[in-house]
Amino acid sequence: MAMLRAFFNPATWILLLLITGIFLLRGSRRQLWPKTGWYLVVLGTSVLYLLSISPASNGLVYYLESQYQAPSKEIIANLDMVVILNGGVTPAREFSKSPEASGATYSRVFNGVEIFKQSGAKTLVLSGAGDEHGSNSTSEVMKNLSIKLGVSADKIVTESRSLHTMGHAIELAKIFPPKEGMKIGIVTSALHIPRSVYSFQRKFPPNTIIPIPVGYSYSSSKYGIKSLIPSAHTLSQSSYAIHELIGIIGYRLFY
């Protein structure tokens, strides 16, 4: 799974293009290969540049984040359950004594708890194992954070088996068998909402799923010369968006 996910990352493609191009430029004197190598180097460099500037990155982000809008207060008030999907944790290491919520996870939990308090839901589900070894640290970190934010422990259900977005839906359906009429609010990052909605609508009646996007990344600011200067942050944002797009395509093909 880790190897497969590596190919969801544009950095992997770019590196392969550049390495292959350089190898062909230096590895053969036949006229065709150096020419192909040059094209690959130019292509890899061009992709790297485009994904590292704001106009291209913002376009990808807008496409994903504009698909679903935040629900009204009336819809939130009628939720039966709120599900917060994990965005990873920083594990305990040399300088940290305990695992901590990543930026994405913190945003989802902080906003999700506020939505839970506003809703009529009786259950808050915190979903995700967080790694391929089945560690329950992610859901436990989310639970501890939720309690600190004012949620009673007896209202929290942790789902600590799922390793990916479709897995969240599969495992939730085991805990709470799907039925018509229930309303389930799905809280996750706005970039992640389209893939999440697709996943949960494959396992639950579509009208039971209420998408609740949080942590928006899109910026409507005007572009100037500065927006054409590459940045690592912008490349990271593009990578996240492309990861989601590939994930959506993969789910549609295999689920």
Side-chain angles (χ1 to χ4, degrees), residues 8 14 68 100 118 139-140 179 184 206 208 214 218 220 224 235:
F8 286 9
I14 293 167
Y68 294 95
E100 299 177 355
Q118 297 167 16
S139 56
E140 287 302 314
K179 61 180 180 180
I184 305 174
T208 69
V214 299
Y218 175 72
S220 59
L235 177 61

Side-chain angles (χ1 to χ4, degrees), residues 215-228:
Y216 287 90
S217 299
Y218 175 72
S219 171
S220 59
S221 58
K222 294 182 179 179
Y223 300 127
I225 296 298
K226 188 177 179 180
S227 68
L228 300 178

Side-chain angles (χ1 to χ4, degrees), residues 113 116-117 124 146-156:
V113 165
F116 179 71
K117 291 177 180 178
L124 176 65
S146 298
I147 292 172
K148 289 179 181 178
L149 292 170
V151 180
S152 175
D154 61 0
K155 295 183 178 181
I156 297 175

Side-chain angles (χ1 to χ4, degrees), residues 59-231:
L60 291 170
V61 169
Y62 177 81
Y63 173 75
L64 289 165
E65 293 192 343
S66 63
Q67 293 186 32
Y68 294 95
Q69 303 299 315
S72 66
K73 291 182 179 180
E74 290 74 20
I75 292 175
I76 289 175
N78 291 314
L79 293 177
D80 298 301
M81 181 191 312
V82 173
V83 180
I84 304 176
L85 308 185
N86 91 82
V89 298
T90 302
R93 291 177 179 164
E94 290 82 357
F95 299 112
S96 58
K97 296 180 180 180
S98 59
E100 299 177 355
S102 69
T105 296
Y106 186 87
S107 172
R108 296 175 190 184
V109 173
F110 181 84
N111 289 286
V113 165
E114 288 301 307
I115 289 162
F116 179 71
K117 291 177 180 178
Q118 297 167 16
S119 75
K122 296 181 180 179
T123 304
L124 176 65
V125 180
L126 307 173
S127 184
D131 61 39
E132 296 186 3
H133 304 292
S135 167
N136 65 358
S137 62
T138 301
S139 56
E140 287 302 314
V141 169
M142 294 168 73
K143 180 178 180 178
N144 292 337
L145 180 55
S146 298
I147 292 172
K148 289 179 181 178
L149 292 170
V151 180
S152 175
D154 61 0
K155 295 183 178 181
I156 297 175
V157 173
T158 56
E159 181 282 292
S160 58
R161 296 176 59 86
S162 60
L163 300 172
H164 48 72
T165 306
M166 184 62 75
H168 296 331
I170 292 170
E171 295 300 327
L172 185 70
K174 293 177 182 177
I175 301 171
F176 299 98
K179 61 180 180 180
E180 290 286 350
M182 68 187 307
K183 297 296 181 183
I184 305 174
I186 304 298
V187 179
T188 189
S189 304
L191 273 172
H192 187 225
I193 274 287
R195 184 155 62 111
S196 302
V197 170
Y198 179 82
S199 299
F200 280 87
Q201 287 184 343
R202 296 291 292 176
K203 300 300 174 182
F204 291 84
N207 62 355
T208 69
I209 302 302
I210 308 298
I212 307 177
V214 299
Y216 287 90
S217 299
Y218 175 72
S219 171
S220 59
S221 58
K222 294 182 179 179
Y223 300 127
I225 296 298
K226 188 177 179 180
S227 68
L228 300 178
I229 299 174
S231 78

